[in-house]
Amino acid sequence: MADMHFKNIEGIVSNNLCHSCGACSAVCQPLAISFAEQVSGLVVPTVDKSRCNNCGLCSRVCPGFSLGEKFQEKVPRDPFEGNIKSCYVGRVFDSEIYNNSQSGGIATALLVHLLNTKQIDGVLCVRMHSNTPLRAEAFFATSREELLSAQKSKYSPVPLLSLLRSLHKEKKKIAMVGLSCHVHGINKLYDVFPDFKKTVLFVVGLVCERVMSSKAIDFFIRQGGGDPEKAIGFDFKNKLKMFYPGNICFKTIDLEERTLPASLREKLKDFFTPPRCRICFDKMNVFADVVVSDPHGIDIQHYENGASAVVVRTSRGEHLVSEVMRSEMVNLETISAQEYLSGQKIEKKKSEWSAFSSVWKSQFDMSPDYVDYINASIGIECNKKAVNKAKKNLDLAISLLQTQSVPELFESASNYLDSKKSSGKPDTLMRRLKRFFHDYRN
């Protein structure tokens, strides 16, 4: 298999193909793999040479370079849309979950139901840790209260699957909430170690456009006049600050809450995007049981503080969503797959991926071994404009990797932000009106 080109995971990291999913750590018998944050803010595995026996298991389960033969057979006919059994839009009725959610709180409702009905022992998910500087971390939630601490997207690289080793050893029955890279990792684990299927019973996937370097958190806090070493809370999106989908919000050590405009997040997203995110075809998490996302393009005017879009992909996911609907925990309205996919701009995603994969192959020595397979399945020829834009953004991602120090990184981010401000679009009338009515209500 192509995976065996690498004696250990370092070869995949050095070729910029690491997803930071954590699958390699879950199978490392001599415990030689740990994760470290680079100057760029990327989180990658490092190998302790004194422990490593070069067995190659870590590279075999890594989805960054190869899906593997068995896993690749599961790729849907349209790998950007995936299999869809049903689609919904709605929100959870529980006001505490809803107000604390990023959108409609549906993912949390599904997981609380699984815990309440004792179908699982807990949930493998992500939260912001309580240390400084603030970082997203994987943890095992076993209560409603812990699940609430995991709400809202973290937009950061997290080796989620690194905790699977101990959970599997303890024979826990779990649900997992993850991005497509995490879901790819668990499927590669299934192919090499099928016994992991006894541990992971449900997979709730999140739609992911891409993550940002962990250093983005520090930069945003600095932009708000705070100290990353003294901040005690951070949200990329807080819908209670301004209007849905919400502004950046952080809390200082003296409990002062500060907000930054959502536009800042959008302006800096390209700058802090890791290179590997640019050639991930699976933005829609096509291998999960249930996928939850923001309801882009769907009319949610009657959901004042946001709603979730839900896509059911498997029979297991269908059964779970039906159970939760019968329990009257949520209000879900059926929508068509066409309506959902239109809002997610699937054709644009295909075009951008085709352009990025083409530029990647021209700039890097090694690409994921499924690039040609995916391109053939979508049959899109990228135009010159798309390729030029992809090259510009990939060059930006490469410069992020090559940063030698944090001050240099933040100076580059500031310069990039200044360039975006000078060319940015003025605030729209609708945005100003939304801000006015939000302030009036509060």
Side-chain angles (χ1 to χ4, degrees):
M1 290 176 62
D3 308 19
M4 294 306 294
H5 285 173
F6 303 103
K7 290 182 178 180
N8 61 47
I9 201 70
E10 286 187 336
I12 291 171
V13 173
S14 65
N15 280 282
N16 305 304
L17 295 172
C18 175
H19 277 304
S20 305
C21 72
C24 54
S25 175
V27 299
C28 183
Q29 301 300 319
L31 304 179
I33 295 176
S34 58
F35 286 83
E37 182 176 308
Q38 298 178 321
V39 170
S40 63
L42 273 64
V43 178
V44 298
T46 59
V47 178
D48 183 341
K49 299 295 196 307
S50 66
R51 288 177 175 266
C52 179
N53 58 12
N54 291 321
C55 68
L57 280 178
C58 56
S59 61
R60 284 185 63 194
V61 300
C62 174
F65 171 60
S66 172
L67 295 182
E69 295 174 7
K70 292 180 182 178
F71 182 22
Q72 191 159 303
E73 290 175 359
K74 303 174 189 175
V75 175
R77 183 174 57 84
D78 188 323
F80 284 77
E81 295 182 6
N83 301 317
I84 297 178
K85 286 184 170 289
S86 54
C87 295
Y88 305 91
V89 65
R91 56 158 286 186
V92 63
F93 284 120
D94 186 304
S95 59
E96 183 181 19
I97 294 177
Y98 183 55
N99 291 331
N100 191 54
S101 70
Q102 179 170 301
S103 299
I106 298 297
T108 304
L110 296 174
L111 301 166
V112 168
H113 172 78
L114 288 172
L115 280 177
N116 287 346
T117 55
K118 302 188 185 306
Q119 296 181 57
I120 58 172
D121 298 314
V123 181
L124 182 57
C125 50
V126 176
R127 66 184 172 191
M128 283 289 178
H129 67 49
S130 56
N131 302 325
T132 54
L134 294 167
R135 289 294 182 267
E137 67 172 358
F139 83 113
F140 187 56
T142 59
S143 68
R144 169 196 162 94
E145 291 69 30
E146 288 182 329
L147 282 174
L148 261 67
S149 74
Q151 285 191 283
K152 303 186 184 76
S153 292
K154 306 305 182 289
Y155 298 107
S156 301
V158 181
L160 181 70
L161 303 183
S162 60
L163 298 188
L164 271 178
R165 180 188 181 89
S166 60
L167 295 173
H168 181 64
K169 187 176 180 180
E170 295 167 12
K171 301 187 184 304
K172 298 291 188 183
K173 294 180 179 180
I174 75 169
M176 185 183 93
V177 184
L179 307 179
S180 56
C181 49
H182 302 126
V183 180
H184 290 193
I186 193 64
N187 276 277
K188 281 293 292 283
L189 281 169
Y190 292 160
D191 286 352
V192 182
F193 298 99
D195 209 40
F196 272 102
K197 292 180 181 179
K198 297 177 183 177
T199 298
V200 184
L201 303 187
F202 297 91
V203 176
V204 176
L206 305 174
V207 167
C208 175
E209 177 54 31
R210 45 205 148 99
V211 300
M212 287 188 276
S213 147
S214 291
K215 289 293 193 296
I217 298 171
D218 301 343
F219 186 78
F220 289 141
I221 291 172
R222 285 165 58 103
Q223 285 290 301
D227 182 349
E229 297 293 335
K230 295 181 179 179
I232 60 172
F234 183 89
D235 293 325
F236 279 96
K237 292 180 180 178
N238 189 321
K239 66 186 182 184
L240 300 182
K241 303 298 178 183
M242 200 56 65
F243 49 85
Y244 175 77
N247 282 344
I248 301 168
C249 178
F250 69 93
K251 186 179 292 186
T252 66
I253 198 168
D254 57 1
L255 303 183
E256 177 189 359
E257 288 192 339
R258 301 184 188 180
T259 60
L260 294 161
S263 58
L264 182 65
R265 181 181 61 244
E266 295 304 315
K267 287 175 181 176
L268 283 163
K269 193 171 184 179
D270 283 338
F271 180 87
F272 283 109
T273 296
R276 187 60 181 81
C277 284
R278 294 297 191 178
I279 51 165
C280 173
F281 70 88
D282 189 11
K283 307 298 186 186
M284 305 304 297
N285 223 321
V286 300
F287 301 101
D289 294 312
V290 180
V291 178
V292 183
S293 72
D294 288 326
H296 298 300
I298 301 169
D299 182 8
I300 59 165
Q301 292 185 45
H302 51 303
Y303 295 103
E304 182 179 357
N305 277 329
S308 300
V310 181
V311 177
V312 178
R313 298 203 181 278
T314 68
S315 297
R316 183 164 51 182
E318 191 172 38
H319 182 71
L320 171 59
V321 171
S322 295
E323 277 189 358
V324 175
M325 290 175 70
R326 286 195 301 270
S327 73
E328 299 185 347
M329 288 180 67
V330 301
N331 174 45
L332 288 178
E333 307 169 42
T334 301
I335 58 173
S336 69
Q338 183 178 5
E339 184 179 6
Y340 175 77
L341 293 171
S342 175
Q344 293 293 333
K345 300 181 179 178
I346 298 297
E347 294 306 310
K348 180 182 178 182
K349 284 178 167 64
K350 291 179 180 179
S351 178
E352 289 178 346
W353 187 82
S354 182
F356 273 110
S357 63
S358 173
V359 174
W360 184 285
K361 290 179 73 172
S362 70
Q363 293 197 202
F364 289 111
D365 294 334
M366 190 168 290
S367 302
D369 67 354
Y370 52 79
V371 165
D372 292 338
Y373 173 83
I374 299 295
N375 269 323
S377 72
I378 61 176
I380 288 182
E381 292 187 13
C382 45
N383 58 51
K384 186 176 180 180
K385 182 179 179 180
V387 170
N388 288 339
K389 183 178 179 180
K391 186 178 186 309
K392 179 180 178 180
N393 281 323
L394 196 56
D395 286 343
L396 194 62
I398 293 170
S399 69
L400 177 71
L401 286 181
Q402 295 173 340
T403 306
Q404 299 298 309
S405 69
V406 174
E408 178 189 338
L409 175 67
F410 287 168
E411 182 180 1
S412 297
S414 296
N415 292 337
Y416 181 80
L417 181 59
D418 288 342
S419 71
K420 297 293 285 187
K421 285 179 179 178
S422 63
S423 61
K425 296 179 181 179
D427 214 7
T428 65
L429 175 61
M430 181 59 69
R431 191 175 184 85
R432 291 198 299 272
L433 285 172
K434 283 184 176 180
R435 183 179 296 112
F436 170 79
F437 285 120
H438 180 280
D439 291 345
Y440 179 79
R441 287 198 308 269
N442 292 281

